[in-house]
Amino acid sequence: LKEAKEEIQARVKEETSITLEKADPTGHGGSTTTGNIAMVMLNTNNRKRLTQGIDSSELRAKIDQLVVNTAVILTIINSDRKVKIDEFREFCRTTYLYVASIPWIHITPSAHVVLGHSAELIGENGCIGLLNFTESGLEANNKFLRQYRINKARKTNQFDNLSDCINRLWDKSD
């Protein structure tokens, strides 16, 4: 698996100049595989690059189907269109079971939320995609929170540190 992963990463890098699953070079944690990279890799032109090196045609077909399903689910979630919620819920459930049928794929908490709960969230949103409810605002605040904790908050104990951070974030929101 490790060799196959490295081979796919090298091929994608060579063909698209995109670095997958490497430590974030900015030093802020995380990896280079972001939502924007996922959108680029899941588009019609790049999808097949993810599975080209898989020798088993059966496994390649399964992974291809998972990639297509993931692209469809993320497109629906990130839209602002009306969603047929029962069909979407069943599509997510089927995809979840499909992922679980491949023993070496581990479902991350983020993937669980998308596959297991996005239909509920869309239902609560009037059966409209979640375009307006992205995490980008929360992600942008992480930079400020990190700066506040390091440079602008008391270091006497965790309660004081977090209280100072929350107060600064509260002030910033005004």
Side-chain angles (χ1 to χ4, degrees):
L1 283 176
K2 186 177 179 181
E3 288 176 20
K5 179 180 177 180
E6 289 170 357
E7 184 180 317
I8 291 169
Q9 288 172 325
R11 187 176 334 100
V12 168
K13 174 79 172 169
E14 181 182 312
E15 295 176 10
T16 66
S17 300
I18 293 173
T19 304
L20 295 176
E21 290 283 321
K22 297 292 181 187
D24 183 6
T26 63
H28 296 303
S31 75
T32 56
T33 308
T34 62
N36 291 335
I37 296 297
M39 287 187 340
V40 169
M41 290 309 300
L42 292 176
N43 81 28
T44 308
N45 298 329
N46 291 326
R47 271 185 218 143
K48 294 290 183 185
R49 288 188 169 109
L50 296 172
T51 58
Q52 276 177 341
I54 298 175
D55 294 333
S56 165
S57 58
E58 181 183 334
L59 181 58
R60 187 179 330 108
K62 272 186 161 183
I63 301 297
D64 279 338
Q65 188 61 53
L66 282 176
V67 171
V68 169
N69 285 13
T70 302
V72 168
I73 290 168
L74 293 176
T75 300
I76 290 170
I77 290 170
N78 292 314
S79 76
D80 59 353
R81 295 185 173 179
K82 190 86 168 152
V83 176
K84 295 179 181 176
I85 199 69
D86 291 332
E87 291 175 24
F88 181 68
R89 181 179 291 111
E90 183 58 28
F91 188 74
C92 288
R93 188 181 81 70
T94 302
T95 303
Y96 198 109
L97 293 173
Y98 205 66
V99 171
S101 74
I102 302 173
W104 49 266
I105 295 180
H106 302 286
I107 298 174
T108 64
S110 298
H112 169 77
V113 168
V114 168
L115 295 174
H117 301 287
S118 58
E120 295 170 31
L121 293 171
I122 290 172
E124 292 293 321
N125 192 39
C127 296
I128 306 282
L130 303 174
L131 177 68
N132 296 326
F133 299 99
T134 65
E135 292 182 355
S136 57
L138 292 171
E139 294 294 330
N141 260 339
N142 285 341
K143 176 176 70 173
F144 294 112
L145 183 58
R146 187 171 39 255
Q147 290 173 355
Y148 296 159
R149 286 199 75 181
I150 293 170
N151 301 317
K152 309 250 185 230
R154 292 174 286 173
K155 311 278 188 306
T156 53
N157 59 49
Q158 189 172 17
F159 180 82
D160 290 344
N161 186 265
L162 292 175
S163 295
D164 290 348
C165 290
I166 289 170
N167 288 331
R168 285 195 178 270
L169 289 170
W170 185 266
D171 289 345
K172 183 179 173 290
S173 72
D174 284 345

